[in-house]
Amino acid sequence: MGSPRQTRSTTLACGEVRTCLLPTSQALDLRAAGHVLRLRADERVLVSERPNLYALSPDTLMGVDCPLPASNGAKVRAVGTVLTRAALTEGRVLQAGSSFRIPASGPDQRQPWGHYLVRPGVVEPLGKLPAQAVAEGLLGGGRSGELDPGLIAEGLLTRLLRHPLLDQKSPFKSRRTRLRWAALTVPDGQDPSIHFTVVEDDLRTVLLGVPEGTEPTAVVRLCEDLALHDWLLTTLVRMLDGSRFGSTDGPMAVLALRPAVDHLLHLWMPRARVDRRLSALWEALEEQPGFSRQWHTLVQRIRDQMALQAIPLLREALTAR
């Protein structure tokens, strides 16, 4: 789906999600997850057991006062607070993300911090916001000194990965992924849109067009869900590429594929926690590039391979009787 068209009152929401395998030999239960994700003493960790085990930290705030990246070179200073939070899925996959909303215009002069603290998750420009240029600048990564939500998310992720409950023994090797996103409001009557790009081996960008009035939290949840499933798909592909898939015989083939079966295959549940009003955006990704189609193809290959390897093992067992 194409890029959103900008309107006079366009507001911008953006952020970055970093996703990785939790470095622990055993998946955390919800109680342990609550300890790891307790970022604030005054708010509890939200937990859910349906449709899978899921824990969500409370939001924390970071104050910022810096330039915004802009693809057209515009000089835009912004002041406000960035929200950060973390989530853990099935006690295995950890995500840390930062996000904020930028209104179409802000005060001409910097305000006292009290003005910004009562607007959590809002970063106000000084003057008018060139929304399209800033969205493109944020997706491009910006320059040193400009607002970078990825660095904020990385700081939280690093902190969580050092938690004493984690034994630092991962069940298999994997790499982190980064999903950098920006969402622009679209005019009434225009369909929502999504443009997903694989920029680098570990970096994806997403440009969204969402209806006016869409809750920022709903957009954040959509992007977290997309980041989770992109990590799962990327990790499965890498696992198969590194396992001499199809060329290893007997027990070694089963051993190479076992981490995928034990830790990954049951996690695929796209849209489980996505607002229904944004479900059309996931449906677009199912058409192109076809997330679930590729996932199910890979899963079937794994199951077929394991079945083929099990046949001679079964014959040997029967012959030995």
Side-chain angles (χ1 to χ4, degrees):
M1 301 175 73
S3 300
R5 296 193 302 271
Q6 186 175 345
T7 65
R8 290 182 180 179
S9 61
T10 296
T11 59
L12 172 66
C14 48
E16 187 163 325
V17 184
R18 303 208 169 187
T19 307
C20 70
L21 182 70
L22 197 68
T24 179
S25 54
Q26 299 293 325
L28 299 188
D29 58 25
L30 288 179
R31 183 177 180 181
H35 287 297
V36 172
L37 298 186
R38 196 180 183 194
L39 304 183
R40 295 172 52 177
D42 60 335
E43 287 195 33
R44 63 188 181 91
V45 174
L46 300 179
V47 298
S48 172
E49 296 182 358
R50 301 290 185 273
N52 55 14
L53 297 182
Y54 179 79
L56 179 66
S57 78
D59 291 335
T60 62
L61 294 177
M62 174 176 285
V64 295
D65 182 349
C66 56
L68 294 172
S71 61
N72 62 0
K75 305 297 183 182
V76 185
R77 179 184 172 189
V79 188
T81 57
V82 176
L83 291 175
T84 60
R85 70 182 197 177
L88 185 62
T89 302
E90 284 290 345
R92 273 294 178 207
V93 185
L94 177 65
Q95 295 181 283
S98 63
S99 63
F100 51 93
R101 181 173 62 86
I102 312 176
S105 62
D108 293 331
Q109 295 182 342
R110 191 191 188 284
Q111 303 299 302
W113 269 116
H115 169 85
Y116 303 105
L117 291 176
V118 298
R119 296 168 174 81
V122 176
V123 175
E124 293 185 341
L126 299 189
K128 293 184 177 180
L129 175 73
Q132 188 73 38
V134 171
E136 294 170 356
L138 285 163
L139 292 178
R143 296 173 294 183
S144 177
E146 295 177 333
L147 183 53
D148 184 350
L151 290 179
I152 300 173
E154 182 65 25
L156 174 58
L157 188 66
T158 300
R159 170 186 166 188
L160 293 174
L161 291 176
R162 293 173 178 168
H163 197 281
L165 281 179
L166 308 180
D167 60 19
Q168 304 302 320
K169 297 178 181 179
S170 300
F172 59 90
K173 291 182 178 180
S174 65
R175 286 186 279 177
R176 303 179 188 180
T177 57
R178 300 175 289 154
L179 187 137
R180 191 178 293 154
W181 61 270
L184 294 163
T185 55
V186 298
D188 291 339
Q190 182 177 329
D191 292 333
S193 62
I194 184 168
H195 186 72
F196 176 86
T197 304
V198 178
V199 180
E200 300 172 3
D201 193 38
D202 66 339
L203 174 63
R204 290 86 171 93
T205 61
V206 178
L207 179 60
L208 300 163
V210 299
E212 291 192 40
T214 301
E215 288 293 329
T217 301
V219 179
V220 171
R221 286 177 179 170
L222 169 66
C223 293
E224 289 173 343
D225 193 57
L226 175 55
L228 170 65
H229 289 85
D230 173 73
W231 181 87
L232 288 171
L233 183 57
T234 301
T235 301
L236 187 61
V237 169
R238 288 172 178 166
M239 187 179 292
L240 295 181
D241 286 345
S243 65
R244 293 183 296 164
F245 183 65
S247 63
T248 304
D249 294 326
M252 291 302 296
V254 175
L255 187 63
L257 295 172
R258 183 169 179 174
V261 177
D262 289 346
H263 305 293
L264 296 182
L265 300 193
H266 64 290
L267 298 183
W268 191 262
M269 294 185 185
R271 293 186 288 181
R273 294 179 173 84
V274 173
D275 192 304
R276 288 180 295 176
R277 289 168 293 183
L278 296 179
S279 62
L281 298 176
W282 245 116
E283 291 173 4
L285 290 175
E286 297 293 23
E287 292 294 328
Q288 182 66 35
F291 272 55
S292 290
R293 183 167 61 251
Q294 183 180 6
W295 175 266
H296 292 311
T297 299
L298 293 173
V299 169
Q300 190 58 52
R301 289 182 62 199
I302 291 173
R303 289 173 174 167
D304 290 345
Q305 181 71 9
M306 296 192 76
L308 287 173
Q309 299 301 336
I311 292 174
L313 296 177
L314 180 60
R315 288 174 177 169
E316 290 179 8
L318 294 174
T319 302
R321 288 185 174 181

